[in-house]
Amino acid sequence: MKPLVNRVSEFSRKAKGAFDKARTLEDFKNFYAEFLSKKSELNEFLKGMKDLSEGERKKIGPLIQSLRTELTELFEQKQSQLEQQEMNKKLVADWLDITKRREQWKGSLHPVSLVQKRIEEIFTSMGFEVADGPEVETEWHNFDALNIPDSHPARDMQDTFWISTGHEKSHQNTVLRTHTSSVQIRKMMADGAPVRIIVPGRVYRNEAVDMTHDATFYQVEGLLVDKGISLAHLKGTVQTMLSELFQKDIKIRFRPGYFPFVEPGLEVDIWFEFTDKEGKSRAMWLEFMGAGMVHPNVLRNCGIDPSKYSGFAFGFGLTRLAMMKYGIEDIRLLFSQKKDFLNQFACS
Ligand code: PHE
């Protein structure tokens, strides 16, 4: 075997040569493994020191130690330099400009919500409260308490989504409410008279869907019960609402209509002026809502004395009103979730 001094200087040359050739972090890892790790020849030199004679150890020991220090320093310097470089590369690659603004899609209120909001503003400014009730309703609140007889066609399987029915007629039977009128009952039962509420809400009818009908739509109920209330109050209230909503005077007319929970019952038509597809101005009477004076039976069912109190009630289609206000011709568009349709209502 060659003398140790020669082996050490050969090792030193090889190590420095390898170091000079190394470029990448990977190269330097290999360099470490070969020349500095426990498995390296250097480590063997160190381990072999104890077998040397004292004289030899004094001569060659410092040589090996300083070689080790030198190689370690070279390696550590280079390694941190390369790590820094890798880090910089990563930083550049991962750079994200958090101040840059993306093209944003703005959300918007649904046209039905827009009209609902406006209606609520108008009625609260007239002293009405906005009330709410369950969409799954008892047969009693939806029909019986509203003086709607068992034989009434509205109860037919055709029109009503029944949730649960017993064999016997029972007040526990439940339906998807077919109108917001059920909330009249809930409110009067809870608070008695006087009452002044509107009830915007979703209702359900078991109907075939077409351009103007959907199985679900929104209504707004109105109810005012107090002393000395007459049809004149109803007329004034409706007229105020419409002129506020459309920002102009709207002509209305009353026709007799039948709803079991009002007496007399009315249909309210409005004179609707609009621009047609050809750009021509047109106008016609449109059926707008059902209304009337609250039937004494309904007041009595809710514990209110009809000899002391009277009231008016009305109910109109909020969905239909939104269609009128925005000139939407197909009801199905409203719940289509089509973005280009909804975007038209985005506020800027
Ligand atoms: N509930 C009736 C409907 O859905 C509307 C209405 C409400 C009529 C209040 C009169 C009074 O058609």
Side-chain angles (χ1 to χ4, degrees):
M1 206 196 237
K2 288 180 191 163
L4 188 55
V5 201
N6 292 2
R7 282 175 59 206
V8 171
S9 65
E10 202 174 301
F11 172 84
S12 166
R13 224 181 325 113
K14 260 200 338 204
K16 286 177 187 164
F19 183 85
D20 287 340
K21 268 198 243 139
R23 294 281 170 274
T24 64
L25 207 53
E26 193 61 27
D27 294 344
F28 284 95
K29 272 194 194 137
N30 294 335
F31 169 84
Y32 180 89
E34 194 174 344
F35 300 104
L36 281 165
S37 71
K38 288 239 163 68
K39 287 180 194 142
S40 67
E41 205 181 356
L42 183 68
N43 203 44
E44 264 171 45
F45 297 155
L46 289 165
K47 278 199 295 198
M49 295 273 278
K50 63 179 187 318
D51 303 326
L52 299 178
S53 71
E54 169 113 34
E56 266 187 310
R57 192 157 54 229
K58 277 212 172 131
K59 218 170 67 190
I60 210 158
L63 207 68
I64 295 174
Q65 285 297 354
S66 73
L67 179 60
R68 181 159 93 137
T69 314
E70 191 188 356
L71 291 180
T72 308
E73 270 173 11
L74 279 174
F75 170 75
E76 280 176 354
Q77 249 180 33
K78 197 69 189 179
Q79 181 181 318
S80 72
Q81 196 185 328
L82 282 173
E83 275 172 359
Q84 189 64 47
Q85 273 174 21
E86 291 274 292
M87 174 67 88
N88 287 344
K89 257 197 249 161
K90 227 174 129 129
L91 283 176
V92 171
D94 293 352
W95 169 251
L96 184 69
D97 183 357
I98 56 165
T99 63
K100 194 170 162 188
R101 295 199 47 182
R102 261 197 310 147
E103 194 59 46
Q104 275 177 340
W105 185 67
K106 274 201 210 125
S108 57
L109 286 178
H110 192 276
V112 172
S113 303
L114 286 171
V115 178
Q116 178 179 336
K117 239 179 86 181
R118 191 66 200 110
I119 296 279
E120 288 178 6
E121 281 165 9
I122 295 166
F123 276 99
T124 46
S125 80
M126 290 195 276
F128 283 74
E129 220 181 283
V130 179
D132 199 5
E135 290 178 21
V136 175
E137 189 52 285
T138 68
E139 181 179 12
W140 189 78
H141 287 91
N142 196 79
F143 295 123
D144 301 74
L146 285 162
N147 201 37
I148 301 173
D150 267 346
S151 58
H152 196 279
R155 292 204 195 197
D156 280 2
M157 299 306 279
Q158 298 281 304
D159 286 319
T160 306
F161 287 112
W162 292 86
I163 300 291
S164 69
T165 50
H167 279 310
E168 302 290 314
K169 180 181 154 42
S170 150
H171 288 168
Q172 294 313 309
N173 289 341
T174 49
V175 299
L176 288 180
R177 70 177 175 196
T178 59
H179 52 185
T180 42
S181 301
S182 53
V183 187
Q184 287 188 32
I185 303 300
R186 289 190 173 270
K187 179 68 183 174
M188 288 190 283
M189 301 264 297
D191 296 345
V195 178
R196 202 186 289 196
I197 53 165
I198 57 160
V199 187
R202 195 169 198 177
V203 302
Y204 301 83
R205 303 253 172 110
N206 195 354
E207 282 185 328
V209 175
D210 62 26
M211 257 178 81
T212 53
H213 297 87
D214 204 343
T216 168
F217 55 97
Y218 289 80
Q219 284 190 327
V220 177
E221 191 81 9
L223 173 70
L224 189 151
V225 179
D226 210 330
K227 287 179 175 148
I229 297 302
S230 72
L231 280 179
H233 295 106
L234 171 67
K235 190 164 187 189
T237 305
V238 175
Q239 215 133 33
T240 304
M241 171 190 90
L242 290 171
S243 55
E244 283 293 317
L245 187 69
F246 288 97
Q247 289 297 304
K248 61 178 182 189
D249 282 336
I250 301 283
K251 248 194 295 181
I252 62 175
R253 76 176 180 196
F254 284 177
R255 284 181 294 122
Y258 174 70
F259 301 94
F261 35 96
V262 281
E263 179 58 43
L266 305 167
E267 296 277 2
V268 181
D269 298 337
I270 65 177
W271 185 244
F272 183 56
E273 293 167 339
F274 62 103
T275 314
D276 71 9
K277 278 202 200 103
E278 278 91 53
K280 259 197 251 150
S281 298
R282 291 180 52 195
M284 59 178 166
W285 285 112
L286 266 191
E287 212 173 86
F288 177 59
M289 68 179 190
M293 299 305 291
V294 181
H295 198 290
N297 286 349
V298 174
L299 292 174
R300 261 193 294 271
N301 288 340
C302 300
I304 294 173
D305 182 350
S307 69
K308 290 201 185 111
Y309 285 98
S310 59
F312 66 73
F314 60 79
F316 63 84
L318 181 62
T319 304
R320 203 157 144 243
L321 186 59
M323 290 170 73
M324 281 163 60
K325 184 161 164 70
Y326 294 110
I328 299 162
E329 280 175 0
D330 192 330
I331 194 171
R332 291 166 294 195
L333 273 173
L334 284 168
F335 305 108
S336 65
Q337 301 176 18
K338 286 202 174 109
K339 236 160 77 172
D340 50 353
F341 169 75
L342 294 169
N343 261 341
Q344 300 176 93
F345 304 94
C347 30
S348 46

